Amino acid sequence: MTQAYAIDEMISAKAIAARIEELAREISTTFADTEKLVVVGLLRGSFVFIADLVRELNLPIEVDFLEASSYGDAMESSREVRILKDLRGAIEGRDVLVVEDIVDTGHTMNHVIRLLKSRKPARLRSIALLDKPSRREVDFRADWTGFEIPDEFVVGYGIDFAQRNRNLPFIGKVRFLEEGTA
Ligand code: IMP
Ligand code: MG
């Protein structure tokens, strides 16, 4: 049993949608001349974000997915990153955008970007919906970030706590409850 918790809204669905429109405009400009952009979602946390983002991109795209191990079911990140599911397609000579839910310690994205770079894409860029810069352990910065947030554990909009709350339409922060409070 996990301890009881409440979820306090931190970023509304409306604010997320508005920010995604801005980001998509910038990405569409950057890749305006692309033959076809390979949009790579990191499973599972990015599935809602990538769905909304691609629908705002004014570009020819394809979608692929990669799964890297991170938290397991705990709240602590592990430093060792493993690839659980690799891309279906080759990316050599292609334009690639990696889409992540949150950059926390930076280990996951650092590892994934290095791996994909070794496959010699033409252009490789990254976007993270959320960034917790105060938690960083390795030097990594996404090319685009939706929102910088403080060191809080968040859920919703694809992001989970022990696989729960991914279906919330907003980003909320987890607040643990003392027994008998609400
Ligand atoms: P990093 O390797 O420490 O940067 O971890 C990134 C991964 O940890 C993200 O892809 C998320 O899956 C997970 N993560 C980081 N912060 C949170 C959070 O606040 N809530 C849920 N998952 C998180
Ligand atoms: Mg993740």
Side-chain angles (χ1 to χ4, degrees):
M1 260 291 285
T2 45
Q3 199 191 331
Y5 61 93
I7 298 167
D8 301 324
E9 183 171 292
M10 183 190 251
I11 308 171
S12 70
K14 223 173 147 181
I16 296 169
R19 183 69 182 123
I20 287 176
E21 267 186 46
E22 291 176 355
L23 293 164
R25 233 176 286 133
E26 292 180 25
I27 292 165
S28 299
T29 304
T30 298
F31 287 106
D33 60 345
T34 194
E35 201 175 298
K36 185 144 51 87
L37 180 65
V38 185
V39 183
V40 171
L42 295 204
L43 294 172
R44 286 171 259 179
S46 72
F47 81 104
V48 176
F49 181 35
I50 195 175
D52 282 345
L53 181 67
V54 295
R55 284 179 288 177
E56 296 292 336
L57 291 177
N58 188 18
L59 297 170
I61 67 143
E62 58 184 78
V63 173
D64 205 341
F65 292 97
L66 186 81
E67 184 170 10
S69 66
S70 58
Y71 276 40
D73 274 352
M75 285 176 71
E76 276 307 304
S77 185
S78 60
R79 282 163 189 83
E80 196 202 329
V81 180
R82 284 175 308 132
I83 300 301
L84 302 179
K85 183 207 166 294
D86 206 339
L87 298 176
R88 286 289 294 274
I91 56 165
E92 185 173 351
R94 312 283 308 276
D95 288 329
V96 177
L97 177 70
V98 180
V99 181
E100 172 63 315
D101 54 358
I102 310 185
V103 181
D104 186 38
T105 64
H107 288 287
T108 305
M109 279 298 264
N110 192 44
H111 181 92
V112 166
I113 293 294
R114 275 206 269 170
L115 172 72
L116 298 186
K117 212 177 248 173
S118 74
R119 299 179 184 176
K120 309 221 178 325
R123 282 181 288 184
L124 178 63
R125 299 285 183 275
S126 60
I127 179 168
L129 179 66
L130 304 176
D131 190 351
K132 298 189 214 172
S134 66
R135 295 260 308 160
R136 203 69 94 254
E137 292 177 9
V138 293
D139 186 26
F140 176 83
R141 216 186 134 67
D143 296 290
W144 290 278
T145 298
F147 303 89
E148 283 195 2
I149 61 169
D151 181 10
E152 302 277 1
F153 198 82
V154 295
V155 293
Y157 200 73
I159 300 166
D160 73 302
F161 174 30
Q163 300 309 325
R164 298 181 61 175
N165 310 121
R166 290 192 196 273
N167 55 328
L168 286 176
F170 57 86
I171 300 284
K173 66 179 175 191
V174 169
R175 175 167 50 87
F176 288 99
L177 302 174
E178 304 291 330
E179 242 168 272
T181 64

